[in-house]
Amino acid sequence: VIGAISGRQASWLEEAPGAPRLLALVALLPVLGYVLFALLPAAWALLVAPLFWIARGAGFVVLQGALNARLEATHRATVNSLVGFLFRAVYALSVPLMGAVLRAGSLAEAFLLLACFSLLIWLCLVAPLAGSIRRASQWVPAEGLPAEGLE
């Protein structure tokens, strides 16, 4: 329910801070969530878990909008399928890794490792995409040139 509400409000939220800032913020919520899971007692999990649902709901809407605005219609379905596959592949590969970390260390260490991976994803993928969105929104076409894709 929280993810659905945040996804529904993502368009409205995009307008206040702007899509680049919202995308960057939403992508940092899992990092914060994993760090809090690692540092706080388990009883706090009920208060921390909604960060992930908010990130998933709003982040999906903003990310899909950003991708769809930059893709030609002929490639849109393929790219969206590949993005979905990539998310599932990362999940499938991270589960055995987290199991090994849990066997060798602790739950807190596993959550901190997930926070580091999430931050790495943010630095390598989300930050450049947010910068691209920001630059595209500041671009003004020369006189006489169409402003396609900027409506």
Short mmCIF file of all heavy atoms in Angstrom, two decimals, residues 84-147:
data_model
loop_
_atom_site.label_atom_id
_atom_site.label_comp_id
_atom_site.label_asym_id
_atom_site.label_seq_id
_atom_site.Cartn_x
_atom_site.Cartn_y
_atom_site.Cartn_z
N GLY A 84 14.32 -4.58 -16.35
CA GLY A 84 13.67 -5.52 -15.43
C GLY A 84 14.52 -6.75 -15.21
O GLY A 84 14.66 -7.24 -14.09
N PHE A 85 15.11 -7.27 -16.28
CA PHE A 85 15.99 -8.43 -16.17
C PHE A 85 17.22 -8.10 -15.31
O PHE A 85 17.64 -8.91 -14.48
CB PHE A 85 16.43 -8.90 -17.56
CG PHE A 85 17.45 -9.99 -17.52
CD1 PHE A 85 17.08 -11.28 -17.18
CD2 PHE A 85 18.78 -9.73 -17.79
CE1 PHE A 85 18.03 -12.30 -17.14
CE2 PHE A 85 19.73 -10.73 -17.74
CZ PHE A 85 19.36 -12.03 -17.42
N LEU A 86 17.78 -6.92 -15.50
CA LEU A 86 18.95 -6.52 -14.74
C LEU A 86 18.63 -6.47 -13.24
O LEU A 86 19.41 -6.97 -12.42
CB LEU A 86 19.46 -5.16 -15.21
CG LEU A 86 20.66 -4.58 -14.47
CD1 LEU A 86 21.88 -5.46 -14.65
CD2 LEU A 86 20.93 -3.17 -14.94
N PHE A 87 17.49 -5.88 -12.87
CA PHE A 87 17.10 -5.84 -11.47
C PHE A 87 16.97 -7.24 -10.90
O PHE A 87 17.43 -7.52 -9.80
CB PHE A 87 15.79 -5.07 -11.29
CG PHE A 87 15.96 -3.58 -11.26
CD1 PHE A 87 15.46 -2.80 -12.28
CD2 PHE A 87 16.63 -2.96 -10.22
CE1 PHE A 87 15.61 -1.43 -12.27
CE2 PHE A 87 16.79 -1.59 -10.19
CZ PHE A 87 16.28 -0.82 -11.22
N ARG A 88 16.33 -8.14 -11.64
CA ARG A 88 16.15 -9.50 -11.15
C ARG A 88 17.47 -10.26 -11.08
O ARG A 88 17.70 -11.05 -10.18
CB ARG A 88 15.14 -10.24 -12.03
CG ARG A 88 13.72 -9.77 -11.74
CD ARG A 88 12.74 -10.24 -12.80
NE ARG A 88 11.39 -9.74 -12.56
CZ ARG A 88 10.97 -8.53 -12.84
NH1 ARG A 88 11.80 -7.65 -13.36
NH2 ARG A 88 9.73 -8.17 -12.61
N ALA A 89 18.36 -10.01 -12.04
CA ALA A 89 19.66 -10.68 -12.04
C ALA A 89 20.50 -10.23 -10.85
O ALA A 89 21.15 -11.06 -10.18
CB ALA A 89 20.40 -10.39 -13.35
N VAL A 90 20.47 -8.93 -10.56
CA VAL A 90 21.21 -8.43 -9.39
C VAL A 90 20.67 -9.07 -8.12
O VAL A 90 21.43 -9.49 -7.25
CB VAL A 90 21.15 -6.89 -9.32
CG1 VAL A 90 21.63 -6.38 -7.98
CG2 VAL A 90 21.99 -6.29 -10.45
N TYR A 91 19.36 -9.17 -8.02
CA TYR A 91 18.74 -9.80 -6.85
C TYR A 91 19.17 -11.26 -6.75
O TYR A 91 19.58 -11.73 -5.69
CB TYR A 91 17.22 -9.68 -6.94
CG TYR A 91 16.51 -10.32 -5.78
CD1 TYR A 91 16.44 -9.68 -4.55
CD2 TYR A 91 15.92 -11.57 -5.91
CE1 TYR A 91 15.80 -10.26 -3.47
CE2 TYR A 91 15.28 -12.17 -4.84
CZ TYR A 91 15.22 -11.51 -3.63
OH TYR A 91 14.59 -12.11 -2.58
N ALA A 92 19.09 -12.00 -7.86
CA ALA A 92 19.43 -13.41 -7.86
C ALA A 92 20.91 -13.64 -7.51
O ALA A 92 21.25 -14.62 -6.84
CB ALA A 92 19.11 -14.04 -9.21
N LEU A 93 21.77 -12.75 -7.95
CA LEU A 93 23.19 -12.89 -7.65
C LEU A 93 23.54 -12.44 -6.23
O LEU A 93 24.50 -12.93 -5.64
CB LEU A 93 24.02 -12.12 -8.67
CG LEU A 93 23.96 -12.63 -10.10
CD1 LEU A 93 24.69 -11.68 -11.04
CD2 LEU A 93 24.52 -14.03 -10.19
N SER A 94 22.77 -11.50 -5.70
CA SER A 94 23.09 -10.99 -4.37
C SER A 94 22.66 -11.94 -3.25
O SER A 94 23.25 -11.92 -2.18
CB SER A 94 22.47 -9.61 -4.15
OG SER A 94 21.07 -9.69 -4.14
N VAL A 95 21.67 -12.77 -3.50
CA VAL A 95 21.19 -13.68 -2.45
C VAL A 95 22.28 -14.65 -1.99
O VAL A 95 22.54 -14.76 -0.78
CB VAL A 95 19.90 -14.41 -2.90
CG1 VAL A 95 19.53 -15.51 -1.92
CG2 VAL A 95 18.77 -13.41 -3.03
N PRO A 96 22.97 -15.35 -2.89
CA PRO A 96 24.05 -16.23 -2.42
C PRO A 96 25.19 -15.47 -1.75
O PRO A 96 25.78 -15.95 -0.78
CB PRO A 96 24.54 -16.94 -3.69
CG PRO A 96 23.48 -16.76 -4.69
CD PRO A 96 22.74 -15.51 -4.33
N LEU A 97 25.48 -14.28 -2.26
CA LEU A 97 26.53 -13.46 -1.65
C LEU A 97 26.15 -13.08 -0.22
O LEU A 97 26.97 -13.16 0.69
CB LEU A 97 26.78 -12.21 -2.50
CG LEU A 97 27.81 -11.22 -1.95
CD1 LEU A 97 29.17 -11.87 -1.88
CD2 LEU A 97 27.85 -9.98 -2.82
N MET A 98 24.91 -12.67 -0.03
CA MET A 98 24.45 -12.32 1.33
C MET A 98 24.46 -13.54 2.23
O MET A 98 24.78 -13.44 3.41
CB MET A 98 23.06 -11.70 1.28
CG MET A 98 23.01 -10.32 0.69
SD MET A 98 24.04 -9.14 1.59
CE MET A 98 25.43 -8.99 0.48
N GLY A 99 24.12 -14.70 1.70
CA GLY A 99 24.20 -15.94 2.49
C GLY A 99 25.61 -16.22 2.95
O GLY A 99 25.84 -16.60 4.12
N ALA A 100 26.59 -16.01 2.07
CA ALA A 100 27.99 -16.22 2.45
C ALA A 100 28.43 -15.21 3.50
O ALA A 100 29.14 -15.56 4.45
CB ALA A 100 28.88 -16.12 1.21
N VAL A 101 27.99 -13.96 3.36
CA VAL A 101 28.34 -12.94 4.35
C VAL A 101 27.70 -13.28 5.70
O VAL A 101 28.34 -13.15 6.75
CB VAL A 101 27.90 -11.53 3.88
CG1 VAL A 101 28.03 -10.50 4.99
CG2 VAL A 101 28.70 -11.11 2.66
N LEU A 102 26.46 -13.74 5.67
CA LEU A 102 25.79 -14.12 6.92
C LEU A 102 26.49 -15.31 7.58
O LEU A 102 26.61 -15.36 8.81
CB LEU A 102 24.32 -14.46 6.67
CG LEU A 102 23.41 -13.27 6.43
CD1 LEU A 102 22.04 -13.73 5.95
CD2 LEU A 102 23.28 -12.44 7.71
N ARG A 103 26.93 -16.26 6.79
CA ARG A 103 27.62 -17.43 7.35
C ARG A 103 28.95 -17.02 7.97
O ARG A 103 29.33 -17.52 9.02
CB ARG A 103 27.84 -18.47 6.25
CG ARG A 103 28.38 -19.77 6.79
CD ARG A 103 28.53 -20.86 5.74
NE ARG A 103 27.24 -21.12 5.11
CZ ARG A 103 27.07 -21.16 3.79
NH1 ARG A 103 28.08 -20.95 2.97
NH2 ARG A 103 25.88 -21.42 3.28
N ALA A 104 29.66 -16.11 7.33
CA ALA A 104 30.99 -15.70 7.80
C ALA A 104 30.94 -14.57 8.82
O ALA A 104 31.85 -14.43 9.62
CB ALA A 104 31.86 -15.29 6.62
N GLY A 105 29.87 -13.77 8.77
CA GLY A 105 29.85 -12.59 9.64
C GLY A 105 28.53 -12.46 10.37
O GLY A 105 28.06 -13.40 11.01
N SER A 106 27.93 -11.30 10.23
CA SER A 106 26.70 -11.03 10.97
C SER A 106 25.66 -10.39 10.04
O SER A 106 25.97 -9.98 8.93
CB SER A 106 26.98 -10.08 12.13
OG SER A 106 27.34 -8.80 11.65
N LEU A 107 24.46 -10.29 10.56
CA LEU A 107 23.38 -9.64 9.81
C LEU A 107 23.70 -8.16 9.58
O LEU A 107 23.45 -7.62 8.51
CB LEU A 107 22.05 -9.81 10.56
CG LEU A 107 20.80 -9.31 9.86
CD1 LEU A 107 20.61 -10.01 8.52
CD2 LEU A 107 19.59 -9.52 10.74
N ALA A 108 24.27 -7.52 10.58
CA ALA A 108 24.64 -6.10 10.44
C ALA A 108 25.65 -5.91 9.32
O ALA A 108 25.55 -4.97 8.53
CB ALA A 108 25.18 -5.56 11.76
N GLU A 109 26.63 -6.82 9.22
CA GLU A 109 27.62 -6.73 8.15
C GLU A 109 26.97 -6.93 6.79
O GLU A 109 27.32 -6.26 5.81
CB GLU A 109 28.73 -7.75 8.36
CG GLU A 109 29.62 -7.43 9.55
CD GLU A 109 30.58 -8.57 9.89
OE1 GLU A 109 30.34 -9.72 9.46
OE2 GLU A 109 31.55 -8.30 10.59
N ALA A 110 26.00 -7.84 6.71
CA ALA A 110 25.29 -8.08 5.45
C ALA A 110 24.52 -6.83 5.04
O ALA A 110 24.53 -6.44 3.86
CB ALA A 110 24.36 -9.27 5.59
N PHE A 111 23.84 -6.18 5.99
CA PHE A 111 23.10 -4.97 5.67
C PHE A 111 24.04 -3.84 5.25
O PHE A 111 23.73 -3.08 4.33
CB PHE A 111 22.24 -4.52 6.85
CG PHE A 111 20.96 -5.30 6.99
CD1 PHE A 111 20.57 -5.79 8.22
CD2 PHE A 111 20.13 -5.53 5.91
CE1 PHE A 111 19.40 -6.51 8.37
CE2 PHE A 111 18.95 -6.24 6.03
CZ PHE A 111 18.58 -6.74 7.26
N LEU A 112 25.19 -3.72 5.90
CA LEU A 112 26.15 -2.68 5.50
C LEU A 112 26.71 -2.95 4.11
O LEU A 112 26.94 -2.01 3.34
CB LEU A 112 27.25 -2.56 6.54
CG LEU A 112 26.82 -1.96 7.88
CD1 LEU A 112 27.96 -2.01 8.89
CD2 LEU A 112 26.32 -0.53 7.70
N LEU A 113 26.92 -4.22 3.79
CA LEU A 113 27.38 -4.56 2.44
C LEU A 113 26.31 -4.20 1.41
O LEU A 113 26.62 -3.65 0.34
CB LEU A 113 27.73 -6.05 2.36
CG LEU A 113 28.31 -6.53 1.04
CD1 LEU A 113 29.63 -5.81 0.73
CD2 LEU A 113 28.53 -8.03 1.08
N LEU A 114 25.05 -4.48 1.72
CA LEU A 114 23.96 -4.08 0.82
C LEU A 114 23.89 -2.56 0.67
O LEU A 114 23.63 -2.05 -0.43
CB LEU A 114 22.63 -4.62 1.33
CG LEU A 114 22.39 -6.11 1.13
CD1 LEU A 114 21.15 -6.55 1.88
CD2 LEU A 114 22.27 -6.44 -0.34
N ALA A 115 24.15 -1.84 1.75
CA ALA A 115 24.17 -0.37 1.68
C ALA A 115 25.29 0.09 0.75
O ALA A 115 25.10 1.01 -0.06
CB ALA A 115 24.34 0.23 3.07
N CYS A 116 26.45 -0.55 0.84
CA CYS A 116 27.57 -0.19 -0.03
C CYS A 116 27.25 -0.47 -1.49
O CYS A 116 27.53 0.35 -2.37
CB CYS A 116 28.84 -0.94 0.38
SG CYS A 116 29.52 -0.39 1.95
N PHE A 117 26.64 -1.63 -1.77
CA PHE A 117 26.24 -1.95 -3.15
C PHE A 117 25.20 -0.96 -3.66
O PHE A 117 25.26 -0.52 -4.80
CB PHE A 117 25.70 -3.38 -3.25
CG PHE A 117 26.77 -4.44 -3.27
CD1 PHE A 117 26.60 -5.61 -2.57
CD2 PHE A 117 27.93 -4.27 -3.99
CE1 PHE A 117 27.57 -6.59 -2.57
CE2 PHE A 117 28.92 -5.24 -4.01
CZ PHE A 117 28.73 -6.41 -3.30
N SER A 118 24.25 -0.61 -2.82
CA SER A 118 23.22 0.35 -3.22
C SER A 118 23.84 1.71 -3.51
O SER A 118 23.44 2.39 -4.46
CB SER A 118 22.15 0.48 -2.13
OG SER A 118 21.47 -0.73 -1.96
N LEU A 119 24.79 2.11 -2.71
CA LEU A 119 25.48 3.39 -2.95
C LEU A 119 26.29 3.34 -4.24
O LEU A 119 26.31 4.31 -5.01
CB LEU A 119 26.38 3.73 -1.76
CG LEU A 119 27.05 5.09 -1.79
CD1 LEU A 119 26.02 6.22 -1.86
CD2 LEU A 119 27.92 5.28 -0.55
N LEU A 120 26.92 2.20 -4.50
CA LEU A 120 27.67 2.04 -5.75
C LEU A 120 26.74 2.14 -6.96
O LEU A 120 27.07 2.80 -7.96
CB LEU A 120 28.40 0.69 -5.74
CG LEU A 120 29.27 0.38 -6.95
CD1 LEU A 120 30.43 1.37 -7.04
CD2 LEU A 120 29.79 -1.04 -6.87
N ILE A 121 25.58 1.51 -6.87
CA ILE A 121 24.60 1.61 -7.95
C ILE A 121 24.16 3.06 -8.11
O ILE A 121 24.02 3.56 -9.24
CB ILE A 121 23.39 0.69 -7.67
CG1 ILE A 121 23.82 -0.77 -7.85
CG2 ILE A 121 22.22 1.02 -8.58
CD1 ILE A 121 22.81 -1.77 -7.36
N TRP A 122 23.97 3.75 -7.00
CA TRP A 122 23.57 5.16 -7.07
C TRP A 122 24.64 5.98 -7.77
O TRP A 122 24.34 6.79 -8.65
CB TRP A 122 23.32 5.70 -5.66
CG TRP A 122 22.75 7.08 -5.66
CD1 TRP A 122 21.45 7.43 -5.76
CD2 TRP A 122 23.49 8.30 -5.58
NE1 TRP A 122 21.32 8.79 -5.74
CE2 TRP A 122 22.55 9.35 -5.63
CE3 TRP A 122 24.83 8.61 -5.47
CZ2 TRP A 122 22.93 10.69 -5.57
CZ3 TRP A 122 25.21 9.94 -5.41
CH2 TRP A 122 24.26 10.96 -5.46
N LEU A 123 25.90 5.76 -7.40
CA LEU A 123 26.99 6.53 -8.00
C LEU A 123 27.18 6.23 -9.48
O LEU A 123 27.46 7.13 -10.28
CB LEU A 123 28.30 6.26 -7.25
CG LEU A 123 28.39 6.83 -5.84
CD1 LEU A 123 29.63 6.29 -5.13
CD2 LEU A 123 28.42 8.35 -5.89
N CYS A 124 27.05 4.96 -9.86
CA CYS A 124 27.33 4.56 -11.24
C CYS A 124 26.15 4.74 -12.20
O CYS A 124 26.36 4.97 -13.39
CB CYS A 124 27.77 3.10 -11.27
SG CYS A 124 29.36 2.83 -10.47
N LEU A 125 24.93 4.60 -11.70
CA LEU A 125 23.77 4.64 -12.59
C LEU A 125 22.84 5.82 -12.34
O LEU A 125 22.46 6.52 -13.28
CB LEU A 125 22.97 3.34 -12.46
CG LEU A 125 23.69 2.06 -12.84
CD1 LEU A 125 22.82 0.85 -12.57
CD2 LEU A 125 24.12 2.09 -14.29
N VAL A 126 22.46 6.02 -11.10
CA VAL A 126 21.42 7.01 -10.80
C VAL A 126 21.96 8.44 -10.91
O VAL A 126 21.31 9.29 -11.51
CB VAL A 126 20.79 6.75 -9.42
CG1 VAL A 126 19.78 7.81 -9.08
CG2 VAL A 126 20.16 5.37 -9.39
N ALA A 127 23.12 8.69 -10.34
CA ALA A 127 23.67 10.05 -10.39
C ALA A 127 23.89 10.51 -11.84
O ALA A 127 23.49 11.63 -12.19
CB ALA A 127 24.96 10.15 -9.58
N PRO A 128 24.48 9.67 -12.72
CA PRO A 128 24.60 10.11 -14.12
C PRO A 128 23.24 10.32 -14.80
O PRO A 128 23.08 11.26 -15.58
CB PRO A 128 25.39 8.98 -14.79
CG PRO A 128 26.12 8.31 -13.69
CD PRO A 128 25.24 8.44 -12.49
N LEU A 129 22.27 9.46 -14.51
CA LEU A 129 20.94 9.63 -15.11
C LEU A 129 20.29 10.92 -14.61
O LEU A 129 19.71 11.66 -15.40
CB LEU A 129 20.04 8.43 -14.79
CG LEU A 129 18.62 8.50 -15.34
CD1 LEU A 129 18.63 8.61 -16.86
CD2 LEU A 129 17.82 7.28 -14.89
N ALA A 130 20.41 11.21 -13.33
CA ALA A 130 19.85 12.45 -12.78
C ALA A 130 20.52 13.66 -13.43
O ALA A 130 19.86 14.65 -13.75
CB ALA A 130 20.01 12.48 -11.27
N GLY A 131 21.83 13.58 -13.64
CA GLY A 131 22.53 14.67 -14.32
C GLY A 131 22.07 14.84 -15.75
O GLY A 131 21.91 15.96 -16.24
N SER A 132 21.81 13.73 -16.42
CA SER A 132 21.30 13.78 -17.79
C SER A 132 19.92 14.43 -17.84
O SER A 132 19.64 15.24 -18.73
CB SER A 132 21.24 12.36 -18.36
OG SER A 132 20.55 12.34 -19.58
N ILE A 133 19.07 14.08 -16.88
CA ILE A 133 17.74 14.68 -16.83
C ILE A 133 17.85 16.18 -16.58
O ILE A 133 17.17 16.98 -17.21
CB ILE A 133 16.88 14.02 -15.73
CG1 ILE A 133 16.62 12.55 -16.07
CG2 ILE A 133 15.56 14.75 -15.54
CD1 ILE A 133 16.03 11.77 -14.93
N ARG A 134 18.73 16.57 -15.67
CA ARG A 134 18.91 17.99 -15.35
C ARG A 134 19.40 18.76 -16.57
O ARG A 134 18.89 19.83 -16.88
CB ARG A 134 19.89 18.15 -14.19
CG ARG A 134 20.02 19.58 -13.70
CD ARG A 134 20.94 19.73 -12.49
NE ARG A 134 20.42 19.00 -11.35
CZ ARG A 134 20.99 17.91 -10.83
NH1 ARG A 134 22.12 17.45 -11.33
NH2 ARG A 134 20.47 17.29 -9.80
N ARG A 135 20.40 18.20 -17.28
CA ARG A 135 20.92 18.89 -18.47
C ARG A 135 19.86 18.98 -19.56
O ARG A 135 19.74 20.01 -20.22
CB ARG A 135 22.16 18.18 -18.99
CG ARG A 135 23.40 18.43 -18.14
CD ARG A 135 24.64 17.85 -18.79
NE ARG A 135 24.57 16.41 -18.99
CZ ARG A 135 24.83 15.49 -18.05
NH1 ARG A 135 25.17 15.88 -16.84
NH2 ARG A 135 24.75 14.21 -18.33
N ALA A 136 19.07 17.92 -19.74
CA ALA A 136 18.03 17.94 -20.78
C ALA A 136 16.95 18.95 -20.47
O ALA A 136 16.40 19.58 -21.37
CB ALA A 136 17.42 16.54 -20.93
N SER A 137 16.66 19.13 -19.18
CA SER A 137 15.60 20.09 -18.83
C SER A 137 16.09 21.53 -18.96
O SER A 137 15.28 22.44 -19.06
CB SER A 137 15.10 19.83 -17.41
OG SER A 137 16.12 20.08 -16.47
N GLN A 138 17.39 21.74 -18.99
CA GLN A 138 17.93 23.09 -19.13
C GLN A 138 18.23 23.44 -20.58
O GLN A 138 18.50 24.58 -20.91
CB GLN A 138 19.22 23.23 -18.31
CG GLN A 138 18.97 23.13 -16.83
CD GLN A 138 20.27 23.06 -16.04
OE1 GLN A 138 21.35 22.91 -16.59
NE2 GLN A 138 20.15 23.17 -14.74
N TRP A 139 18.16 22.46 -21.48
CA TRP A 139 18.48 22.67 -22.89
C TRP A 139 17.37 23.47 -23.55
O TRP A 139 16.20 23.20 -23.40
CB TRP A 139 18.64 21.32 -23.58
CG TRP A 139 18.97 21.43 -25.03
CD1 TRP A 139 20.18 21.74 -25.57
CD2 TRP A 139 18.08 21.24 -26.12
NE1 TRP A 139 20.10 21.75 -26.93
CE2 TRP A 139 18.82 21.44 -27.30
CE3 TRP A 139 16.74 20.91 -26.23
CZ2 TRP A 139 18.27 21.34 -28.55
CZ3 TRP A 139 16.19 20.81 -27.49
CH2 TRP A 139 16.94 21.01 -28.64
N VAL A 140 17.76 24.46 -24.27
CA VAL A 140 16.81 25.28 -25.02
C VAL A 140 17.22 25.20 -26.48
O VAL A 140 18.36 25.50 -26.83
CB VAL A 140 16.85 26.75 -24.54
CG1 VAL A 140 15.91 27.60 -25.37
CG2 VAL A 140 16.52 26.83 -23.07
N PRO A 141 16.30 24.78 -27.36
CA PRO A 141 16.67 24.63 -28.76
C PRO A 141 16.93 25.99 -29.41
O PRO A 141 16.38 27.00 -29.01
CB PRO A 141 15.44 23.96 -29.39
CG PRO A 141 14.32 24.30 -28.47
CD PRO A 141 14.91 24.44 -27.10
N ALA A 142 17.80 25.97 -30.41
CA ALA A 142 18.07 27.19 -31.16
C ALA A 142 16.81 27.58 -31.91
O ALA A 142 15.94 26.74 -32.18
CB ALA A 142 19.22 26.96 -32.14
N GLU A 143 16.71 28.83 -32.24
CA GLU A 143 15.52 29.33 -32.91
C GLU A 143 15.27 28.57 -34.21
O GLU A 143 16.18 28.35 -35.00
CB GLU A 143 15.69 30.82 -33.21
CG GLU A 143 14.38 31.50 -33.47
CD GLU A 143 14.56 33.00 -33.51
OE1 GLU A 143 15.28 33.54 -32.64
OE2 GLU A 143 14.03 33.61 -34.43
N GLY A 144 14.05 28.12 -34.38
CA GLY A 144 13.68 27.40 -35.59
C GLY A 144 13.82 25.90 -35.46
O GLY A 144 13.36 25.17 -36.32
N LEU A 145 14.49 25.40 -34.41
CA LEU A 145 14.65 23.96 -34.23
C LEU A 145 13.51 23.44 -33.34
O LEU A 145 13.07 24.12 -32.42
CB LEU A 145 15.98 23.62 -33.57
CG LEU A 145 17.22 23.88 -34.40
CD1 LEU A 145 18.48 23.57 -33.60
CD2 LEU A 145 17.20 23.04 -35.67
N PRO A 146 13.04 22.24 -33.63
CA PRO A 146 11.95 21.68 -32.81
C PRO A 146 12.47 21.30 -31.43
O PRO A 146 13.61 20.92 -31.27
CB PRO A 146 11.51 20.45 -33.60
CG PRO A 146 12.69 20.06 -34.40
CD PRO A 146 13.43 21.34 -34.72
N ALA A 147 11.60 21.40 -30.44
CA ALA A 147 11.95 21.04 -29.06
C ALA A 147 11.33 19.69 -28.73
O ALA A 147 10.70 19.52 -27.70
CB ALA A 147 11.47 22.11 -28.10
#
